[in-house]
Amino acid sequence: MTQVMRFVQDEEGATALEYGLLAALIAAVIIGAVTTLGNVVSSTFNNIAASMSAAAGS
């Protein structure tokens, strides 16, 4: 019974789990930011290309 209680009260593995969850959260935020930024950049370049095509055709 004392070994079970010692296992339940041991917090050594909890910090590793917390760091893993923190790393996963940071990765999710980075992926979301890069996806959003990628869409904005793509839209900007498409607008520039359209403007250049219109200027060259005029």
Side-chain angles (χ1 to χ4, degrees):
M1 187 65 178
T2 58
Q3 289 179 342
V4 173
M5 290 303 293
R6 194 176 307 146
F7 176 75
V8 170
Q9 293 175 349
D10 184 21
E11 294 184 3
E12 187 173 317
T15 56
L17 180 64
E18 290 167 357
Y19 283 128
L21 290 173
L22 186 62
L25 179 64
I26 290 171
V29 169
I30 289 172
I31 289 170
V34 168
T35 301
T36 302
L37 183 63
N39 290 336
V40 170
V41 170
S42 176
S43 175
T44 301
F45 279 118
N46 286 336
N47 289 338
I48 291 170
S51 296
M52 291 177 72
S53 294
S58 297

